[in-house]
Amino acid sequence: MPLTRSKDILGQDLLGEHGGKLGAIAETFVDLDTGRIEFLVVEGAGLLGGSGRYHPVPWSIVRYDPMAKTYQVDVSKDRFKASPSYDRAQIASADYAWDEQSIRYYDAPADIVAAS
């Protein structure tokens, strides 16, 4: 079973369709009951770095390419930019139901456990 440290995930780029950079992985959310990562929180790419908007991406749609050492999703840049996004305070609060909104937006598999 391959393992990695969370610090080795944070800061990595999330790539979309055709290898385009969607943003940088800012956080991971782990289900404490199962110990599984449920979401990556990606700060969208901006002109001069990060955009200040955070996009939760269900882990179930993310794949890791060990040859390229990259995290990837089959999502276009336009679809990613239109995905639910939040500021830092909103991501920290379960009141925004960002987990449910992201699951619906990406039509992620139903076996995802809500992060809230």
Side-chain angles (χ1 to χ4, degrees), residues 3-114:
L3 297 174
T4 192
R5 299 176 299 177
S6 58
K7 76 175 205 157
D8 292 335
I9 296 172
L10 302 180
Q12 295 294 312
D13 291 337
L14 180 66
L15 305 180
E17 288 180 344
H18 312 295
K21 178 181 174 180
L22 302 177
I25 300 168
E27 293 186 71
T28 60
F29 277 78
V30 175
D31 180 318
L32 294 177
D33 289 334
T34 66
R36 292 183 350 201
I37 294 174
E38 294 296 332
F39 289 91
L40 295 180
V41 175
V42 178
E43 184 176 13
L47 292 176
L48 300 173
S51 67
R53 298 298 294 177
Y54 298 89
H55 302 256
V57 177
W59 180 253
S60 63
I61 69 167
V62 176
R63 70 179 182 285
Y64 178 71
D65 180 341
M67 297 299 285
K69 296 184 179 178
T70 58
Y71 295 89
Q72 304 170 357
V73 291
D74 290 326
V75 175
S76 69
K77 283 185 181 183
D78 289 339
R79 181 159 166 78
F80 178 78
K81 286 180 184 179
S83 71
S85 66
Y86 308 88
D87 63 28
R88 174 91 36 213
Q90 291 169 321
I91 283 291
S93 172
D95 294 341
Y96 287 93
W98 57 259
D99 51 344
E100 295 169 12
Q101 293 173 31
S102 294
I103 289 168
R104 278 194 306 275
Y105 182 82
Y106 288 109
D107 195 25
D111 66 336
I112 288 185
V113 178

